[in-house]
Amino acid sequence: MPVKDTWLVIGGRGSGKTRLGAEWVNSFVRGYPPFADRSHGLIALVGETLGDVREVMIDGPSGIARISRHDRPRFEPSRKRLVWECGAVAHIFSSEDPESLRGPQFEAAWCDEVAKWKHADACFDMLQFGLRLGERPRQLLTTTPKPIALLRRLLSDADVSVTRMRTDDNAKNLAESFLKAVRQRYAGTHLGRQELDGEFMTQRENALWIRTMLEQAIAVPEMPMRRIVIAVDPPASAHRRSDACGIVVAGMCEDGLIYVLADETVGMAKPHDWACRVVRLFHRFEADRVVAEVNQGGDMVEAVIRTIDPQLPVKPVRATRGKWLRAEPVAALYEQGRVRHAGRFGKLEDEMCDFGIDGISSGRSPDRVDALVWAITELAGDGSNTPRIRNIS
């Protein structure tokens, strides 16, 4: 169990978050490690509504009362509390009423489905003022991830211990038919990544791309490709904290639709390594040319690629406008339905949906987005190479 005083557990549906929370509370009540220092046994149980606290956290199939084999607590609805014979007491609270947390004090708190809370920030803040009893007040927060401000705040806090749980991690306790159905329908989608894999799916306000737009863009090419390009956004250096080398493959069909075919971005790679990957992709996809941004590396970018394959056609491109301005026309092509994705590119989609006007995504340079923009800009332009017809299998 984490040694930090705030434990955030982010998990998919059915991953066992509720059972974990109930066992955590029971460990606290019985004084199991690391709770040997407890003194009063006062606990806060906080859910989206009071009904959720009772029906899920207390009386649910994995709730506190259901899993208690000895010293089963009794629920006193009129006093909104759960009482154990040993003297421990858990008071229940709803996120709908943050002010109800003003005044009471606790040694521990279990907060469930935090991402669904009505007044998440206010409720959490009021709880912090009440966690003031004992040697080390502790709190457990269990939730399915949603990109709310409170979760962003907690995930960026170095004093918060974070555990991630996937639905598949608890497969032995779930119906096989359920797993089969949700995998077939949602595997790889942004909803599946959030609800099954427990991934924190960011979506920046006013971003150029949104999740639903990218979901609708998934399609398999139905016609041969006229042109295929490999776009490269190289890093300025190759040390540990360097940006990744953005590498995106895209092609245009005979009907004029543009398809993103692959995201082969590589992180912390030496120039020779990413150049080898670019050359392999060029031959694998029978591409027409490599489009490489040269703002950072200048002639070095083309030179390092030609050390691997001297005959490779490389078109150097130089950014004269900011990242946001370059990306806007490409985002417009998505809105017009002229760009499709020939598969799921989770990391690329995440970067696209968190790409802001400041030109960064998730606090870093958007290397995948940069390569994507160069590839689609090249294909959407008039081009100067003679197109070839080939099928992509």
Side-chain angles (χ1 to χ4, degrees):
M1 185 177 293
V3 296
K4 296 181 181 179
D5 297 334
T6 299
W7 184 14
L8 173 62
V9 177
I10 298 179
R13 299 285 189 91
S15 59
K17 302 185 300 297
T18 303
R19 181 60 183 263
L20 184 151
E23 295 286 4
W24 186 87
V25 171
N26 276 334
S27 295
F28 172 82
V29 169
R30 290 166 176 75
Y32 296 155
F35 300 118
D37 61 346
R38 67 184 183 88
S39 56
H40 297 79
L42 291 174
I43 312 162
L45 302 177
V46 190
E48 181 185 5
T49 67
L50 292 177
D52 289 323
V53 177
R54 180 168 185 175
E55 299 301 324
V56 177
M57 301 171 71
I58 297 175
D59 290 333
S62 299
I64 297 167
R66 285 292 189 91
I67 68 167
S68 298
R69 296 180 179 85
H70 308 288
D71 188 19
R72 184 171 180 172
R74 69 179 185 277
F75 183 58
E76 299 179 351
S78 62
R79 303 187 67 179
K80 299 179 183 177
R81 69 180 192 173
L82 197 62
V83 181
W84 284 262
E85 291 296 328
C86 66
V89 178
H91 296 271
I92 72 173
F93 300 90
S94 164
S95 69
E96 298 172 318
D97 185 13
E99 289 299 306
S100 64
L101 284 159
R102 186 185 294 274
Q105 53 186 353
F106 313 99
E107 291 177 80
W110 172 25
C111 306
D112 191 43
E113 289 299 351
V114 177
K116 293 175 59 184
W117 283 8
K118 296 294 191 299
H119 305 287
D121 288 289
C123 190
F124 181 78
D125 290 340
M126 284 297 100
L127 175 63
Q128 304 316 295
F129 289 111
L131 282 169
R132 56 180 184 258
L133 295 181
E135 293 277 332
R136 287 182 58 189
R138 293 179 174 88
Q139 57 187 333
L140 168 65
L141 299 90
T142 53
T143 188
T144 302
K146 286 187 178 180
I148 66 170
L150 176 58
L151 286 188
R152 291 177 186 269
R153 196 170 92 193
L154 292 168
L155 286 168
S156 64
D157 189 339
D159 291 328
V160 175
S161 181
V162 180
T163 298
R164 300 180 186 275
M165 301 168 63
R166 300 170 63 249
T167 300
D168 280 350
D169 295 337
N170 194 37
K172 65 180 181 180
N173 296 311
L174 301 173
E176 186 176 343
S177 59
F178 161 77
L179 290 171
K180 181 179 179 181
V182 295
R183 285 168 181 161
Q184 288 179 343
R185 185 164 185 175
Y186 301 110
T189 68
H190 83 274
L191 187 61
R193 293 174 62 195
Q194 174 178 285
E195 301 293 328
L196 300 178
D197 297 333
E199 293 187 33
F200 187 72
M201 308 295 288
T202 56
Q203 175 64 67
R204 185 185 293 202
E205 186 177 356
N206 298 323
L208 287 177
W209 291 275
I210 60 175
R211 299 281 178 186
T212 52
M213 177 196 299
L214 298 182
E215 290 286 344
Q216 294 167 1
I218 303 298
V220 177
E222 297 180 354
M223 304 181 72
M225 293 284 166
R226 298 183 64 246
R227 298 184 61 202
I228 293 178
V229 300
I230 317 291
V232 185
D233 179 59
S237 60
H239 55 73
R240 277 187 61 192
R241 297 188 178 182
S242 295
D243 296 331
C245 179
I247 305 173
V248 169
V249 185
M252 176 181 282
C253 284
E254 291 182 293
D255 58 4
L257 291 178
I258 295 172
Y259 286 84
V260 178
L261 303 174
D263 171 23
E264 293 287 335
T265 297
V266 58
M268 294 184 293
K270 296 178 180 179
H272 180 270
D273 295 333
W274 59 251
C276 285
R277 177 169 295 198
V278 169
V279 171
R280 287 196 298 269
L281 288 168
F282 182 88
H283 293 294
R284 171 184 157 195
F285 284 92
E286 299 182 39
D288 295 292
R289 65 171 51 175
V290 172
V291 180
E293 181 178 326
V294 296
N295 285 58
Q296 299 287 356
D299 294 337
M300 180 276 293
V301 177
E302 184 174 355
V304 72
I305 292 175
R306 293 199 187 283
T307 61
I308 312 299
D309 187 337
Q311 304 304 316
L312 210 70
V314 179
K315 177 181 178 180
V317 290
R318 187 175 297 276
T320 57
R321 298 183 298 164
K323 296 177 185 293
W324 178 272
L325 292 177
R326 297 201 308 271
E328 279 187 312
V330 173
L333 294 177
Y334 275 85
E335 292 177 349
Q336 296 163 8
R338 294 175 57 189
V339 182
R340 310 288 175 83
H341 285 196
R344 303 297 319 205
F345 308 116
K347 293 182 179 179
L348 173 61
E349 293 171 14
D350 290 347
E351 204 171 270
M352 294 169 75
C353 293
D354 199 44
F355 175 69
I357 197 168
D358 54 3
I360 63 175
S361 178
S362 300
R364 296 182 60 86
S365 175
D367 310 293
R368 299 171 196 272
V369 169
D370 281 344
L372 172 83
V373 168
W374 285 123
I376 295 177
T377 299
E378 171 68 16
L379 292 169
D382 54 9
S384 59
N385 58 314
T386 302
R388 294 182 292 152
I389 306 298
R390 86 284 278 160
N391 289 297
I392 296 298
S393 57

